[in-house]
Amino acid sequence: MSLPPGDRVAGGLAEEGGRVPDVVIEPDADRLTRAVASALVARLAAAQAVHGTATVVLTGGGIGTAVLERVAALAAEPERERVDWTAVDVWWGDERWLPAGDAERNETGARQALLDAVDVPAARVHAMPAADAGFAEPEDAAEWYAGQLAAAAPEGAPLPRIDVLLLGMGPEGHVASIFPDSPAATDERLVVAVRDCPKPPPTRISLGFGAINAAEEIWLLVAGEGKAPAVARALRERPGPDALPAAGVHGRRATRWLLDAAAASGLDAPA
Protein backbone atom coordinates (compact mmCIF):
# COMPACT_ATOMS: atom_id res chain seq x y z
CA MET A 1 0.00 0.00 0.00
CA SER A 2 1.35 3.42 -0.92
CA LEU A 3 0.21 6.94 -0.36
CA PRO A 4 -1.66 8.87 -3.00
CA PRO A 5 0.57 10.61 -5.55
CA GLY A 6 3.10 13.00 -4.10
CA ASP A 7 6.71 13.77 -4.82
CA ARG A 8 8.84 10.87 -3.62
CA VAL A 9 12.54 11.04 -2.97
CA ALA A 10 14.97 8.37 -1.87
CA GLY A 11 15.92 8.66 1.74
CA GLY A 12 18.30 6.98 4.13
CA LEU A 13 20.96 4.36 3.64
CA ALA A 14 20.87 0.96 1.99
CA GLU A 15 19.71 -1.02 5.01
CA GLU A 16 17.32 -3.89 5.48
CA GLY A 17 13.55 -3.83 5.96
CA GLY A 18 11.93 -0.64 7.13
CA ARG A 19 15.28 1.07 7.69
CA VAL A 20 15.18 2.47 4.16
CA PRO A 21 12.74 5.37 4.55
CA ASP A 22 10.15 6.15 1.93
CA VAL A 23 9.95 9.94 1.72
CA VAL A 24 6.73 11.44 0.37
CA ILE A 25 6.38 15.20 -0.08
CA GLU A 26 3.04 16.98 -0.46
CA PRO A 27 2.76 20.64 -1.47
CA ASP A 28 1.33 21.90 1.81
CA ALA A 29 0.02 20.81 5.19
CA ASP A 30 -3.57 20.50 3.98
CA ARG A 31 -2.63 18.19 1.11
CA LEU A 32 -0.43 16.22 3.49
CA THR A 33 -3.30 15.81 5.94
CA ARG A 34 -5.65 14.59 3.22
CA ALA A 35 -3.12 12.17 1.74
CA VAL A 36 -2.22 10.63 5.09
CA ALA A 37 -5.85 10.29 6.15
CA SER A 38 -6.78 8.48 2.92
CA ALA A 39 -3.74 6.23 3.20
CA LEU A 40 -4.49 5.42 6.83
CA VAL A 41 -8.04 4.36 6.01
CA ALA A 42 -6.72 2.15 3.21
CA ARG A 43 -4.03 0.62 5.42
CA LEU A 44 -6.42 -0.20 8.26
CA ALA A 45 -8.92 -1.70 5.82
CA ALA A 46 -6.14 -3.81 4.28
CA ALA A 47 -5.05 -5.05 7.70
CA GLN A 48 -8.62 -6.05 8.49
CA ALA A 49 -8.88 -7.91 5.20
CA VAL A 50 -5.89 -10.03 6.20
CA HIS A 51 -6.20 -10.31 9.98
CA GLY A 52 -9.81 -9.43 10.74
CA THR A 53 -8.66 -6.58 12.97
CA ALA A 54 -6.34 -3.58 12.73
CA THR A 55 -4.15 -1.87 15.28
CA VAL A 56 -3.02 1.75 15.16
CA VAL A 57 -0.88 3.82 17.51
CA LEU A 58 -1.90 7.47 17.53
CA THR A 59 0.09 10.65 17.99
CA GLY A 60 -0.90 14.18 18.95
CA GLY A 61 0.22 17.52 17.56
CA GLY A 62 -1.30 19.71 14.90
CA ILE A 63 -0.86 17.42 11.90
CA GLY A 64 -1.65 14.27 13.87
CA THR A 65 -4.94 15.70 15.10
CA ALA A 66 -5.81 17.14 11.67
CA VAL A 67 -5.32 13.69 10.15
CA LEU A 68 -7.76 12.18 12.65
CA GLU A 69 -10.31 14.87 11.87
CA ARG A 70 -9.98 14.06 8.17
CA VAL A 71 -10.34 10.33 8.87
CA ALA A 72 -13.56 11.08 10.74
CA ALA A 73 -14.81 13.04 7.72
CA LEU A 74 -13.97 10.12 5.42
CA ALA A 75 -15.81 7.73 7.73
CA ALA A 76 -18.95 9.80 7.17
CA GLU A 77 -18.73 9.42 3.38
CA PRO A 78 -20.48 6.14 2.46
CA GLU A 79 -18.82 5.83 -0.93
CA ARG A 80 -15.35 5.77 0.60
CA GLU A 81 -13.38 2.66 1.49
CA ARG A 82 -14.65 1.47 4.82
CA VAL A 83 -12.93 0.58 8.05
CA ASP A 84 -14.80 -1.56 10.57
CA TRP A 85 -14.09 0.62 13.58
CA THR A 86 -15.49 -2.03 15.92
CA ALA A 87 -12.44 -4.11 14.99
CA VAL A 88 -9.72 -1.46 15.45
CA ASP A 89 -7.45 -1.39 18.48
CA VAL A 90 -6.20 2.09 19.37
CA TRP A 91 -3.07 2.77 21.39
CA TRP A 92 -0.95 5.87 21.97
CA GLY A 93 2.73 6.56 21.42
CA ASP A 94 2.99 9.00 24.29
CA GLU A 95 0.91 11.00 26.70
CA ARG A 96 1.21 14.01 28.95
CA TRP A 97 1.03 13.29 32.68
CA LEU A 98 -2.07 15.42 33.23
CA PRO A 99 -5.56 14.77 34.63
CA ALA A 100 -8.11 12.93 32.52
CA GLY A 101 -9.92 15.20 30.10
CA ASP A 102 -7.21 17.86 30.11
CA ALA A 103 -7.15 19.60 26.74
CA GLU A 104 -3.39 19.00 26.44
CA ARG A 105 -3.69 15.22 26.61
CA ASN A 106 -3.34 13.38 23.31
CA GLU A 107 -6.23 11.14 24.29
CA THR A 108 -8.53 14.16 24.66
CA GLY A 109 -7.63 15.45 21.21
CA ALA A 110 -8.04 12.04 19.59
CA ARG A 111 -11.45 11.50 21.13
CA GLN A 112 -12.67 14.89 19.94
CA ALA A 113 -11.16 14.53 16.46
CA LEU A 114 -12.07 10.92 15.67
CA LEU A 115 -12.96 8.43 18.37
CA ASP A 116 -16.19 10.12 19.46
CA ALA A 117 -17.37 9.99 15.83
CA VAL A 118 -16.71 6.31 15.10
CA ASP A 119 -17.69 3.09 16.81
CA VAL A 120 -14.48 1.86 18.41
CA PRO A 121 -15.57 -0.18 21.45
CA ALA A 122 -14.33 1.19 24.76
CA ALA A 123 -12.41 -2.04 25.40
CA ARG A 124 -10.36 -1.43 22.24
CA VAL A 125 -9.33 2.13 23.20
CA HIS A 126 -6.15 1.76 25.22
CA ALA A 127 -5.41 5.20 26.65
CA MET A 128 -2.28 5.83 28.65
CA PRO A 129 -3.13 6.56 32.29
CA ALA A 130 -3.92 10.08 33.42
CA ALA A 131 -2.24 11.74 36.37
CA ASP A 132 -5.40 11.34 38.44
CA ALA A 133 -5.93 7.66 37.59
CA GLY A 134 -4.65 6.39 40.94
CA PHE A 135 -1.00 5.69 40.14
CA ALA A 136 1.45 7.06 42.69
CA GLU A 137 4.11 7.81 40.08
CA PRO A 138 4.26 7.96 36.28
CA GLU A 139 6.72 5.06 36.40
CA ASP A 140 3.93 2.89 37.85
CA ALA A 141 1.60 4.01 35.06
CA ALA A 142 4.23 3.20 32.43
CA GLU A 143 4.68 -0.29 33.86
CA TRP A 144 0.91 -0.80 33.83
CA TYR A 145 0.68 0.25 30.18
CA ALA A 146 3.43 -2.19 29.25
CA GLY A 147 1.35 -4.85 30.95
CA GLN A 148 -1.68 -3.86 28.87
CA LEU A 149 0.36 -4.21 25.69
CA ALA A 150 1.58 -7.64 26.78
CA ALA A 151 -1.97 -8.74 27.64
CA ALA A 152 -3.05 -7.89 24.08
CA ALA A 153 -0.10 -9.71 22.51
CA PRO A 154 0.07 -13.28 21.23
CA GLU A 155 1.13 -15.76 23.87
CA GLY A 156 4.76 -15.23 24.85
CA ALA A 157 5.12 -11.91 23.00
CA PRO A 158 5.50 -8.53 24.72
CA LEU A 159 3.52 -6.58 22.13
CA PRO A 160 0.50 -6.99 19.88
CA ARG A 161 0.82 -6.63 16.11
CA ILE A 162 0.92 -2.90 15.34
CA ASP A 163 -0.12 -2.21 11.76
CA VAL A 164 0.58 1.53 11.72
CA LEU A 165 2.30 3.70 14.29
CA LEU A 166 1.94 7.44 13.73
CA LEU A 167 4.57 9.86 14.98
CA GLY A 168 5.02 13.59 14.88
CA MET A 169 8.42 15.22 15.19
CA GLY A 170 9.49 18.34 17.06
CA PRO A 171 11.85 20.94 15.61
CA GLU A 172 14.70 19.51 17.68
CA GLY A 173 13.96 16.00 16.42
CA HIS A 174 11.98 14.49 19.29
CA VAL A 175 9.44 11.75 18.62
CA ALA A 176 6.75 10.54 21.02
CA SER A 177 8.15 11.98 24.27
CA ILE A 178 11.74 10.99 23.57
CA PHE A 179 13.82 14.16 23.38
CA PRO A 180 17.49 14.56 22.43
CA ASP A 181 19.84 13.51 25.23
CA SER A 182 16.95 12.06 27.22
CA PRO A 183 17.54 8.85 29.20
CA ALA A 184 14.44 7.55 27.40
CA ALA A 185 16.45 7.36 24.17
CA THR A 186 18.52 4.49 25.55
CA ASP A 187 15.97 2.98 27.96
CA GLU A 188 15.27 -0.61 26.93
CA ARG A 189 11.84 -0.78 28.55
CA LEU A 190 8.88 -0.82 26.18
CA VAL A 191 7.09 1.98 28.04
CA VAL A 192 8.90 4.62 30.05
CA ALA A 193 8.14 7.57 32.27
CA VAL A 194 9.90 10.69 31.02
CA ARG A 195 10.70 13.49 33.44
CA ASP A 196 12.20 16.93 32.94
CA CYS A 197 11.08 17.23 29.32
CA PRO A 198 12.33 20.49 27.79
CA LYS A 199 8.82 21.11 26.43
CA PRO A 200 5.91 21.45 28.88
CA PRO A 201 4.45 19.59 30.56
CA PRO A 202 7.72 18.19 31.90
CA THR A 203 6.42 14.76 32.91
CA ARG A 204 5.09 12.28 30.35
CA ILE A 205 4.71 8.61 29.49
CA SER A 206 6.13 7.31 26.22
CA LEU A 207 6.65 4.15 24.27
CA GLY A 208 10.36 3.37 24.12
CA PHE A 209 12.19 2.57 20.92
CA GLY A 210 11.74 -1.14 21.55
CA ALA A 211 7.97 -0.73 21.21
CA ILE A 212 8.03 1.96 18.53
CA ASN A 213 10.30 0.01 16.21
CA ALA A 214 8.26 -3.17 16.63
CA ALA A 215 5.47 -1.63 14.52
CA GLU A 216 4.96 -3.04 11.04
CA GLU A 217 4.87 0.46 9.58
CA ILE A 218 5.90 3.79 11.10
CA TRP A 219 4.65 7.00 9.55
CA LEU A 220 6.35 10.24 10.59
CA LEU A 221 4.07 13.21 9.90
CA VAL A 222 6.05 16.44 9.67
CA ALA A 223 4.98 19.87 8.49
CA GLY A 224 6.50 23.33 8.70
CA GLU A 225 9.75 25.03 7.75
CA GLY A 226 10.92 25.08 11.37
CA LYS A 227 11.33 21.31 11.24
CA ALA A 228 13.26 21.24 7.96
CA PRO A 229 16.75 21.16 9.54
CA ALA A 230 15.89 18.16 11.72
CA VAL A 231 14.29 16.35 8.76
CA ALA A 232 17.38 16.90 6.63
CA ARG A 233 19.72 15.82 9.41
CA ALA A 234 17.71 12.68 10.17
CA LEU A 235 17.56 11.55 6.55
CA ARG A 236 21.07 12.55 5.49
CA GLU A 237 23.31 12.16 8.52
CA ARG A 238 21.38 9.49 10.47
CA PRO A 239 22.84 10.43 13.87
CA GLY A 240 22.23 8.24 16.91
CA PRO A 241 18.77 8.31 18.52
CA ASP A 242 20.13 9.97 21.65
CA ALA A 243 21.25 12.96 19.56
CA LEU A 244 18.25 13.00 17.20
CA PRO A 245 15.49 10.59 18.28
CA ALA A 246 13.67 10.74 14.94
CA ALA A 247 16.72 9.20 13.29
CA GLY A 248 16.31 6.10 15.46
CA VAL A 249 12.86 5.25 14.12
CA HIS A 250 12.41 2.30 11.74
CA GLY A 251 9.41 0.05 11.24
CA ARG A 252 9.66 -3.68 10.69
CA ARG A 253 8.30 -3.43 7.13
CA ALA A 254 8.24 0.26 6.28
CA THR A 255 9.30 3.67 7.53
CA ARG A 256 7.56 6.58 5.84
CA TRP A 257 8.50 10.23 6.23
CA LEU A 258 5.38 12.11 5.15
CA LEU A 259 6.30 15.75 4.69
CA ASP A 260 4.91 18.98 3.41
CA ALA A 261 7.13 21.00 1.09
CA ALA A 262 8.22 23.34 3.88
CA ALA A 263 9.42 20.50 6.10
CA ALA A 264 11.23 18.95 3.13
CA SER A 265 12.91 22.19 2.05
CA GLY A 266 16.20 21.29 3.71
CA LEU A 267 16.52 18.21 1.53
CA ASP A 268 17.03 20.45 -1.49
CA ALA A 269 19.97 22.31 0.05
CA PRO A 270 23.55 21.13 -0.56
CA ALA A 271 24.59 18.46 1.94
Side-chain angles (χ1 to χ4, degrees):
M1 190 279 299
S2 61
L3 287 160
D7 292 334
R8 288 176 171 78
V9 299
L13 304 175
E15 301 174 75
E16 295 180 355
R19 291 176 185 262
V20 181
D22 178 20
V23 182
V24 179
I25 303 169
E26 296 291 343
D28 53 45
D30 181 65
R31 288 279 295 275
L32 176 64
T33 296
R34 290 174 175 272
V36 173
S38 295
L40 182 58
V41 168
R43 183 66 185 88
L44 296 180
Q48 289 180 337
V50 174
H51 303 289
T53 63
T55 300
V56 62
V57 175
L58 301 182
T59 185
I63 287 291
T65 302
V67 166
L68 298 186
E69 291 173 343
R70 180 60 184 161
V71 170
L74 293 177
E77 298 180 11
E79 71 276 11
R80 294 282 184 169
E81 186 168 13
R82 306 298 289 174
V83 171
D84 178 3
W85 291 102
T86 67
V88 176
D89 281 287
V90 179
W91 302 82
W92 273 265
D94 74 318
E95 189 56 274
R96 296 166 172 86
W97 187 241
L98 295 168
D102 191 287
E104 295 299 311
R105 278 179 57 84
N106 291 334
E107 177 198 359
T108 304
R111 288 187 181 278
Q112 294 173 348
L114 174 64
L115 299 180
D116 289 347
V118 294
D119 297 323
V120 181
R124 289 187 178 272
V125 179
H126 308 279
M128 288 184 167
D132 57 356
F135 293 93
E137 301 290 345
E139 287 79 6
D140 300 324
E143 183 177 358
W144 177 87
Y145 202 65
Q148 295 298 297
L149 286 162
E155 185 175 357
L159 294 165
R161 184 195 75 254
I162 299 171
D163 297 299
V164 181
L165 186 146
L166 304 176
L167 288 174
M169 187 196 74
E172 76 297 281
H174 88 264
V175 290
S177 283
I178 305 175
F179 289 81
D181 302 318
S182 168
T186 54
D187 197 313
E188 295 184 355
R189 290 174 292 182
L190 297 178
V191 188
V192 297
V194 186
R195 296 179 181 268
D196 301 319
C197 292
K199 179 180 177 181
T203 304
R204 304 171 179 218
I205 301 171
S206 180
L207 297 187
F209 278 122
I212 291 172
N213 291 338
E216 294 296 302
E217 297 185 14
I218 300 176
W219 298 5
L220 292 107
L221 321 179
V222 190
E225 188 175 0
K227 299 180 181 181
V231 169
R233 187 180 175 208
L235 290 172
R236 284 181 168 171
E237 300 176 21
R238 303 299 294 274
D242 54 338
L244 190 73
V249 170
H250 49 84
R252 291 168 57 88
R253 292 180 55 245
T255 307
R256 294 192 167 94
W257 285 75
L258 311 177
L259 315 172
D260 72 353
S265 59
L267 299 175
D268 296 328

